[in-house]
Amino acid sequence: MGVDPGNGNLIVMLRAENELLLPVVIGALETQNIMVHLSGEKPPRPLGPDLFYNTLELLGVKVLRLEIVELKNGTFYGRLVLEQRGLEYEIDCRPSDGMALAIRAGAPILIAEQVLEQAGIKESQLNRQGEPPKA
């Protein structure tokens, strides 16, 4: 995760298997939801993604993966794939919310090839501070 010094946006850099990076701008609350879990902190009360994940577990639903499936007008679109009793369910979601849930579940985050073609950057394109190139 990083901050775009030009505008202060928070950015998650997702690494694809083909060595491309996908910079995804996310909000401050979503960043907090991800970072709290990654840091191992235990908040005194569950955060939104914790509540949702705990509810899914209680109901016997497994988070299989997050798919980032589309980039339209500068906005990424995601889909959570869940499984219960052998049936898969796909739920539209914001990638940032899906990331917070997938990380808690230990589920993979997949990126559609077309999205990588549109917005993926090579690591060599990052400047020394790890920031994406300016548009």
Side-chain angles (χ1 to χ4, degrees):
M1 289 204 192
V3 177
D4 183 337
N7 56 24
N9 286 335
L10 300 163
I11 301 172
V12 172
M13 296 296 258
L14 298 175
R15 183 180 309 275
E17 289 180 1
N18 60 4
E19 299 304 315
L20 286 177
L21 299 172
L22 185 68
V24 180
V25 175
I26 64 174
L29 179 60
E30 292 81 5
T31 301
Q32 177 188 1
N33 287 336
I34 292 169
M35 292 305 296
V36 162
H37 183 76
L38 289 177
S39 71
E41 286 182 52
K42 285 285 189 190
R45 296 181 351 186
L47 299 175
D50 298 314
L51 174 63
F52 188 48
Y53 180 69
N54 293 342
T55 302
L56 290 174
E57 270 196 324
L58 182 69
L59 296 173
V61 177
K62 182 178 179 183
V63 178
L64 296 180
R65 65 187 170 274
L66 167 65
E67 300 173 348
I68 299 177
V69 296
E70 189 174 16
L71 174 61
K72 188 172 18 174
N73 298 324
T75 300
F76 291 104
Y77 291 81
R79 176 171 52 218
L80 273 175
V81 180
L82 308 174
E83 183 269 328
Q84 183 185 42
R85 298 185 193 153
L87 297 174
E88 285 190 14
Y89 302 92
E90 296 178 353
I91 300 173
D92 289 335
C93 71
R94 296 185 317 169
S96 55
D97 292 331
M99 283 180 221
L101 193 58
I103 289 167
R104 281 162 173 78
I109 299 171
L110 306 178
I111 306 165
E113 287 294 325
Q114 68 190 30
V115 172
L116 281 172
E117 289 171 10
Q118 287 177 277
I121 60 172
K122 294 181 181 175
E123 194 163 359
S124 61
Q125 289 179 285
L126 296 176
N127 65 24
R128 281 181 229 157
Q129 287 78 34
E131 301 158 358
K134 300 282 185 247

